[in-house]
Amino acid sequence: MKLAKVVAAGEVTPAVVEGDEVRLLDLTQVENVKTLSDILHSPDPVGLTRFLIDTKLDPVSVEQVEWLPPLDQQEVWAAGVTYKRSQQARMEESETGASHYDKVYEADRPELFFKATPNRVVAPGKPVRVRYDSNWSVPEPEFALVINPDMKIVGYTIGNDMSARDIEGENPLYLPQAKLYKECCALGPSILLAGDGELNLAEIEVRLKIERNGETIVSGETALDQLHRSLTELVAWLGRDNEFPGGAILLTGTGIIPPDEFSLEQDDLIHMSVTGIGTLTNPVVKD
Ligand code: DO4
Ligand code: MG
């Protein structure tokens, strides 16, 4: 079951996505359930979502609603160098930082960094930004975990960890500037609610396609079984001596890196797809 946050008839509301249709939820049916997070952080998000579907309303087409990023107050964090491909690319981009990237790939402690506050996260369809002081920026398509305040994974979504590779490559201490700025992250389009069973990681593919003037100029794919760490391990590290009263979103790192000569430009269109979740599409702005 996929849960989204949309604006329909001027109201912000959580909704269920079923194929090309959206079913709005009626939150008046349950006391103390007012937001997407109230559902995500409830004891049974799947059961509650099913119960809240407004059966009096006809489903609406996905084109008829405005999409919002599927989060409220969650902090957005990201893991880095969790795929071999990312380790290689980072070692090549940084003369001074190569050994740090090499070591962190094998170390017990993963690289985890603060990625975005909710106001820096853009919705599906809205522009992500290339910093004006970067000449080498790329999108990073990442499988993202939706985590409740008890540090339980309650869902999955798609995250774009926009990255200024020239700034990060110049000096690893510039990482927060390379990663965290306005419109530096996109999330969505919806959250696949976690079921009871284990995910079959080999079956979950992550794909990236970048279009320029209607032509595909970059494409790539990976599968989640290429991830060097387990999802629960990453969440456990994030939760060490930390707390997230509003929940958290954790991007799990990229396994797809565009060719070194590629940098995003104004009006490029980025498509990121993950099996079972859908496609997150965002244009690029640089000014
Ligand atoms: O160490 C730099 C960031 C790594 C990252 O964002 C990734 O591997 O996805
Ligand atoms: Mg990343």
Side-chain angles (χ1 to χ4, degrees):
M1 184 170 276
K2 291 191 283 186
L3 195 52
K5 187 172 169 181
V6 301
V7 184
E11 299 272 323
V12 174
T13 178
V16 165
V17 184
E18 288 172 350
D20 289 341
E21 290 183 331
V22 166
R23 307 207 59 174
L24 304 180
L25 302 189
D26 175 8
L27 302 192
T28 61
Q29 297 183 81
V30 180
E31 221 182 325
N32 296 331
V33 175
K34 310 252 178 283
T35 63
L36 175 73
S37 300
D38 291 338
I39 300 171
L40 292 171
H41 301 170
S42 72
D44 177 15
V46 174
L48 181 57
T49 303
R50 199 170 282 131
F51 177 79
L52 290 171
I53 292 175
D54 194 336
T55 48
K56 298 183 295 302
L57 291 177
D58 286 334
V60 286
S61 143
V62 289
E63 267 113 49
Q64 279 175 271
V65 294
E66 180 190 340
W67 295 76
L68 296 176
L71 86 170
D72 297 317
Q73 298 305 317
Q74 285 86 344
E75 290 179 8
V76 182
W77 286 68
V81 198
T82 49
Y83 290 80
K84 194 80 192 153
R85 181 69 195 93
S86 180
Q87 181 209 27
Q88 285 163 347
R90 253 86 204 188
M91 287 176 69
E92 283 159 20
E93 98 194 343
S94 172
E95 269 177 35
T96 52
S99 70
H100 299 297
Y101 295 117
D102 195 20
K103 283 187 193 141
V104 81
Y105 183 74
E106 297 295 350
D108 269 358
R109 182 187 294 272
E111 178 195 10
L112 293 176
F113 58 92
F114 188 71
K115 173 62 189 172
T117 45
N119 63 305
R120 294 186 170 91
V121 178
V122 304
K126 297 285 189 260
V128 285
R129 180 170 294 276
V130 168
R131 288 182 64 117
Y132 75 82
D133 54 0
S134 166
N135 292 314
W136 186 21
S137 279
V138 296
E140 294 189 352
E142 306 196 8
F143 188 70
L145 308 175
V146 181
I147 300 164
N148 74 9
D150 297 326
M151 298 312 282
K152 180 170 176 226
I153 300 172
V154 293
Y156 313 98
T157 189
I158 306 171
N160 179 352
D161 172 22
M162 290 289 288
S163 300
R165 293 191 64 188
D166 45 359
I167 297 176
E168 172 190 327
E170 191 179 337
N171 187 325
L173 296 179
Y174 293 153
L175 188 81
Q177 295 175 72
K179 294 286 193 175
L180 204 170
Y181 52 90
K182 69 179 177 179
E183 296 150 5
C184 63
C185 180
L187 290 176
S190 59
I191 293 173
L192 174 67
L193 293 175
D196 294 333
E198 288 279 301
L199 289 181
N200 184 347
L201 299 185
E203 281 177 3
I204 301 180
E205 289 187 347
V206 180
R207 291 173 192 273
L208 171 68
K209 185 170 88 166
I210 305 173
E211 289 179 276
R212 184 169 295 165
N213 302 322
E215 263 181 51
T216 300
I217 48 167
V218 171
S219 62
E221 61 186 76
T222 189
L224 275 195
D225 62 353
Q226 300 303 304
L227 188 62
H228 181 60
R229 298 181 186 264
S230 78
L231 303 178
T232 48
E233 171 194 351
L234 291 173
V235 175
W237 278 99
L238 181 66
R240 279 202 181 192
D241 247 335
N242 219 337
E243 52 193 9
F244 299 90
I249 309 274
L250 177 60
L251 277 54
T252 57
T254 188
I256 306 172
I257 311 266
D260 283 354
E261 57 281 7
F262 174 81
S263 183
L264 285 168
E265 284 183 10
Q266 171 80 28
D267 298 330
D268 285 352
L269 205 52
I270 306 166
H271 308 276
M272 301 181 166
S273 308
V274 172
T275 314
I277 302 178
T279 301
L280 172 65
T281 296
N282 299 93
V284 173
V285 71
K286 179 172 184 180
D287 50 34

